Amino acid sequence: MLRSLPGPDMLRYGLSCLLAVLGACSGKEADGGTSFAGGVARVGYANESPFAYDNAGKLSGEAPEIARHVLASMGVKQVKGVLTEFGSLVPGLKAKRFELIAAGMYVTPERCKQVAFSEPTYCIAEALLVQRTNPLGLGSYDDVAKHATARLGVVRGTVQHSYAERMQIPAERIVLFPDPPSALSGLTSQRIDAFAATALTVNELLQKLGKQSELERATPFAEPLIDGKPARGCGAFAFRTSDTARRDAFNLHLKEFLGSQEHLQLVSAFGFTASDLPPAAVTTASLCQP
């Protein structure tokens, strides 16, 4: 092949090869590729169990464990977690602090304008955490909105914040927290009257608190109606919009893994079951529709 190239073309060919080698040696990688520099993937996460959290120095949770499996099938040898407040995950991704977000982030039309989501890995219901005996009788976002003084705690940047706004809870009665543990502290100290989160998050918090906890899950609970339909959030991984090739490669391996016995066994440790798998009709394309 080289012998068939004229002199100037051979020089250009050799130069391009040299630049390719230097680029590989530098460890830098342009957006748009499907591989990861040095076989290492940096994963942004927020400390929210059971979706993604630090477990004695190891990144764990539903999203990181799935990411490890899928990325390994893509040739990634190491996954490094980058802890970030939930509300700073998308800005951190855009600033290239990490290559993808693995935090159980819900796919919403607003977020679809900023990131390239993988296909969803779960769809789950909402819940409220309240003081034992639920003194204000709060069983829905609507109850909080209608109560004159009820204060609702949410994690900054989460879909629960947008639910609270859309259910017309006054802004002065929506209290923002950086993470679930902080919101839990706010509830126990009575800074708020209820904490809104996913059902899995609420169950996980109660399990850690134990039977002697002064908190409980609000029962019965009515899902917030968004566009006339009960809210049921679906979580996925997020990539930069310039990294669709990488996202697409990730999706191919994810499709093979999702719903398999190995997948269900892996996520069962975090409270997920087959009933939490996204229905066949639920895709990222459908979730991104306004």
Side-chain angles (χ1 to χ4, degrees), residues 90-91 93-94 109-116 239-241:
V90 171
L93 179 68
K94 290 182 174 181
E110 294 77 16
R111 288 175 180 155
C112 290
K113 297 175 183 177
Q114 303 183 68
V115 302
F239 297 79
R240 286 187 287 275
T241 53

Side-chain angles (χ1 to χ4, degrees), residues 17-29 36-39:
C17 291
L18 177 60
L19 290 174
V21 170
L22 290 175
C25 292
S26 71
K28 294 182 179 179
E29 178 181 17
F36 291 81

Side-chain angles (χ1 to χ4, degrees), residues 229-247:
K229 298 179 181 179
R232 190 172 177 82
C234 300
F237 299 91
F239 297 79
R240 286 187 287 275
T241 53
S242 56
D243 278 350
T244 53
R246 179 181 283 163
R247 186 275 314 273

Side-chain angles (χ1 to χ4, degrees), residues 6-65:
D9 288 338
M10 180 178 288
L11 289 175
R12 281 194 291 270
Y13 181 87
L15 180 59
S16 66
C17 291
L18 177 60
L19 290 174
V21 170
L22 290 175
C25 292
S26 71
K28 294 182 179 179
E29 178 181 17
D31 285 341
T34 60
S35 61
F36 291 81
V40 178
R42 296 171 301 166
V43 171
Y45 74 102
N47 223 11
E48 182 180 1
S49 178
F51 302 101
Y53 59 96
D54 182 272
N55 183 18
K58 178 187 177 183
L59 176 59
S60 189
E62 181 262 357
E65 294 300 344

Side-chain angles (χ1 to χ4, degrees), residues 76-245:
V76 172
K77 299 177 182 179
Q78 185 180 3
V79 173
K80 288 186 176 181
V82 181
L83 178 60
T84 307
E85 285 189 9
F86 194 92
S88 299
L89 284 171
V90 171
L93 179 68
K94 290 182 174 181
K96 299 186 178 182
R97 291 186 58 215
F98 33 84
E99 282 74 56
L100 69 153
I101 297 172
M105 180 176 282
Y106 281 3
V107 181
T108 67
E110 294 77 16
R111 288 175 180 155
C112 290
K113 297 175 183 177
Q114 303 183 68
V115 302
F117 279 109
S118 71
E119 289 302 319
T121 62
Y122 70 84
C123 294
I124 57 173
E126 296 296 302
L128 283 183
L129 191 61
V130 296
Q131 296 283 343
R132 188 173 290 279
T133 75
N134 196 0
L136 298 186
L138 304 175
S140 66
Y141 284 75
D142 196 43
D143 286 346
V144 177
K146 291 179 179 178
H147 196 285
T149 61
R151 299 154 300 173
L152 181 69
V154 296
V155 172
R156 182 181 290 105
T158 62
V159 74
Q160 286 78 25
H161 187 189
S162 65
Y163 288 166
E165 291 178 328
R166 295 187 68 172
M167 297 302 290
Q168 298 184 343
I169 298 175
E172 64 270 18
R173 292 200 281 115
I174 301 175
V175 183
L176 304 179
F177 294 93
D179 50 45
S182 300
L184 193 67
S185 176
L187 186 56
T188 55
S189 64
Q190 300 185 12
R191 286 180 55 205
I192 56 176
D193 303 291
F195 169 50
T198 70
L200 281 173
T201 298
V202 168
N203 289 343
E204 181 84 4
L205 290 171
L206 287 174
Q207 185 178 5
K208 289 182 177 180
L209 290 172
K211 294 182 179 180
Q212 303 304 315
S213 170
E214 293 301 316
L215 307 179
E216 65 182 21
R217 182 173 171 175
T219 306
F221 173 74
E223 296 279 358
L225 295 178
I226 305 299
D227 297 328
K229 298 179 181 179
R232 190 172 177 82
C234 300
F237 299 91
F239 297 79
R240 286 187 287 275
T241 53
S242 56
D243 278 350
T244 53

